[in-house]
């Protein structure tokens, strides 16, 4: 499996660098609003630090906002997925080519390297980040090389981790704005920053770079939607739906391994898409991406907030009927 960094992880285009620098300015502006030095240091360490690379860097180089808003997920598949990459990386894979992308002409193998033929030119993994338009290598382009790819070793896959899933693709503009939205949510919930002030400094940071934010960027009257969990509508610094949840019983963890138990807590902070990601359309946008509780994120599974609420309403109504009739909700009456 691909276990190392994504190919050309430290290679950035001018556009990549410009976007990451704006993000740095946004987090510094948000940090400056935090009323004490300890809080500012904690925010930058855990959320705001931005690393100038395609994959947020090694270890804890780039913090949570960069990993969630700007990068794709970690991947260690036996496939050429990047083990994190910028969401606006210009080479994607999908079952079918989405409208915003052009089709790769052919996928071939040169030795132990994938080669993508685009407009008659050969593009190797180390260079695909330089493509000036988005290209997709759909399912049928891989069929002729699948038998050879089955034989590849983990090392081979690592050297070819150079593309991203279409469902995780976004534009650099949407990714940047999503970064700002998530930053507003974090400082408002956990660092005693006034939400309106946080919102305004993001706009000031955009203006510093003459960046015109998109129509997807939330407006001032939508700030409350940014800082609450989109499913249970409770603040992110309180338990899901404001409930007093019982603590989880401790389970064995080898003492030589870092525990990730806090990440699995019901109230832990997770990236949440209010409409589930799809290959055919871009849904990683500042209007659809929020932070939410882990419980709420798990409850949604692969459904939208609206679909999840409808499901929960149906479940509650079924239980209410059971209580009223003292019969199981699915009872079949024969009279």
């Amino acid at each position: 499996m691909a276990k190392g960094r994504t190919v050309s992880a430290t290679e950035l285009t001018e556009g990549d660098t410009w976007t990451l620098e704006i993000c740095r300015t946004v987090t510094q502006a948000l940090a400056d609003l935090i009323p004490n030095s300890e809080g500012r240091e904690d925010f930058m360490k855990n959320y705001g630090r931005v690393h100038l690379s395609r994959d947020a860097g090694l270890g804890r180089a780039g913090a949570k906002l960069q990993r969630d808003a700007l990068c794709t997920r970690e991947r260690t598949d036996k496939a050429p997925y990047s083990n994190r990459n910028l969401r606006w990386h210009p080479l994607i894979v999908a079952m079918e080519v989405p409208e915003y992308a052009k089709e790769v002409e052919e996928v071939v193998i040169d030795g132990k390297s994938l080669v993508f033929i685009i407009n008659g030119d050969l593009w190797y993994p180390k260079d695909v980040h330089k493509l000036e338009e988005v290209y997709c290598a759909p399912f049928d382009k891989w069929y002729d090389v699948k038998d050879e790819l089955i034989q590849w070793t983990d090392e081979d896959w690592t050297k070819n981790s150079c593309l991203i899933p279409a469902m995780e693709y976004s534009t650099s503009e949407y990714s940047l704005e999503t970064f700002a939205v998530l930053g507003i949510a974090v400082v408002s919930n956990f660092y005693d920053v006034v939400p309106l002030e946080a919102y305004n400094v993001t706009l000031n940071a955009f203006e510093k770079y003459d960046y015109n934010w998109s129509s997807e960027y939330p407006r001032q009257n939508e700030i409350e939607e940014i800082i609450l969990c989109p499913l249970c509508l409770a603040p992110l610094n309180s338990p899901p739906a404001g409930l007093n949840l019982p603590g989880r019983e401790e389970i064995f963890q080898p003492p030589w391994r870092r525990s990730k138990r806090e990440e699995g807590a019901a109230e832990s902070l997770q990236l949440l898409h209010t409409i589930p990601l799809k290959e055919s359309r871009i849904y990683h946008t500042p209007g659809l991406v929020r932070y939410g509780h882990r419980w709420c994120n798990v409850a949604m599974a692969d459904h939208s907030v609206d679909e999840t609420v409808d499901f929960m309403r149906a479940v509650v109504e079924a239980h209410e009927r059971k209580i009223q009739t003292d019969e199981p909700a699915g009872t079949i009456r024969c009279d």
Side-chain angles (χ1 to χ4, degrees):
M1 294 183 287
K3 296 180 178 180
R5 299 183 69 181
T6 188
V7 175
S8 299
T10 59
E11 300 296 323
L12 297 172
T13 67
E14 288 186 10
D16 299 336
T17 302
W18 184 75
T19 303
L20 293 173
E21 290 291 359
I22 298 178
C23 289
R24 278 186 168 180
T25 301
V26 167
T27 51
Q28 188 57 61
L30 291 172
D32 289 343
L33 294 176
I34 299 173
N36 58 79
S37 59
E38 294 82 3
R40 290 192 290 273
E41 182 179 346
D42 185 80
F43 168 71
M44 292 302 293
K45 175 183 177 182
N46 293 301
Y47 296 98
R49 190 171 54 235
V50 174
H51 188 264
L52 294 181
S53 68
R54 310 193 66 78
D55 62 353
L58 294 172
R60 297 177 63 84
K64 185 172 176 60
L65 292 178
Q66 181 175 4
R67 296 193 303 269
D68 287 348
L70 308 183
C71 295
T72 60
R73 294 175 297 163
E74 288 185 285
R75 302 292 293 261
T76 55
D77 310 55
K78 286 186 176 294
Y81 294 123
S82 293
N83 187 16
R84 290 203 186 281
N85 204 334
L86 295 175
R87 287 186 179 268
W88 58 92
H89 182 67
L91 184 62
I92 63 175
V93 284
M95 289 300 294
E96 297 181 359
V97 181
E99 291 184 359
Y100 60 81
K102 295 183 177 180
E103 187 169 351
V104 168
E105 293 167 19
E106 192 175 356
V107 178
V108 297
I109 297 176
D110 179 8
K112 290 292 184 176
S113 177
L114 291 171
V115 182
F116 304 91
I117 301 178
I118 300 173
N119 296 328
D121 296 324
L122 307 183
W123 287 83
Y124 285 78
K126 66 182 180 65
D127 295 320
V128 294
H129 67 280
K130 299 175 185 178
L131 288 166
E132 295 183 355
E133 296 180 272
V134 183
Y135 285 88
C136 177
F139 180 84
D140 61 344
K141 299 295 182 181
W142 298 90
Y143 198 81
D144 290 340
V145 295
K146 65 179 178 63
D147 291 337
E148 187 168 349
L149 294 179
I150 290 174
Q151 308 302 320
W152 276 18
T153 65
D154 294 350
E155 183 180 359
D156 296 331
W157 286 118
T158 298
K159 292 178 180 179
N160 287 274
S161 56
C162 64
L163 45 75
I164 66 173
M167 67 186 302
E168 295 189 53
Y169 177 82
S170 186
T171 66
S172 59
E173 293 81 9
Y174 282 163
S175 300
L176 160 62
E177 293 174 18
T178 296
F179 181 96
V181 165
L182 297 180
I184 293 169
V186 167
V187 297
S188 300
N189 278 277
F190 303 109
Y191 296 96
D192 298 321
V193 172
V194 177
L196 180 58
E197 293 182 4
Y199 178 84
N200 286 335
V201 299
T202 65
L203 300 187
N204 293 338
F206 293 161
E207 290 174 349
K208 181 178 178 180
Y209 287 84
D210 294 324
Y211 174 73
N212 296 317
W213 51 95
S214 73
S215 59
E216 284 269 339
Y217 198 67
R219 297 308 186 243
Q220 185 173 310
N221 62 355
E222 299 173 308
I223 292 178
E224 184 172 306
E225 297 179 16
I226 297 175
I227 64 176
L228 300 178
C229 174
L231 182 62
C232 73
L233 302 181
L236 299 173
N237 58 5
S238 68
L243 298 173
N244 292 320
L245 303 172
R248 297 196 302 163
E249 182 178 317
E250 288 293 322
I251 60 173
F252 174 80
Q253 280 284 355
W256 56 90
R257 292 174 55 187
R258 184 174 71 88
S259 174
K260 294 187 177 182
R261 190 162 176 79
E262 289 185 3
E263 298 176 12
E267 67 276 12
S268 66
L269 201 63
Q270 290 194 347
L271 191 69
L272 190 153
H273 292 84
T274 59
I275 295 179
L277 297 176
K278 296 181 180 179
E279 289 188 344
S280 58
R281 296 187 62 181
I282 299 173
Y283 282 138
H284 186 83
T285 75
L288 300 176
V289 180
R290 298 289 182 266
Y291 272 140
H293 304 105
R294 179 180 183 276
W295 184 327
C296 298
N297 196 22
V298 171
M300 287 177 61
D302 293 324
H303 299 279
S304 69
V305 168
D306 290 343
E307 290 168 343
T308 305
V309 170
D310 288 343
F311 170 77
M312 291 178 170
R313 183 179 293 114
V315 169
V316 170
E317 290 174 352
H319 279 267
E320 288 178 343
R321 288 194 300 271
K322 179 180 182 299
I323 292 172
Q324 292 170 2
T325 63
D326 196 28
E327 293 180 345
T331 297
I332 299 176
R333 300 184 63 89
C334 299
D335 55 348

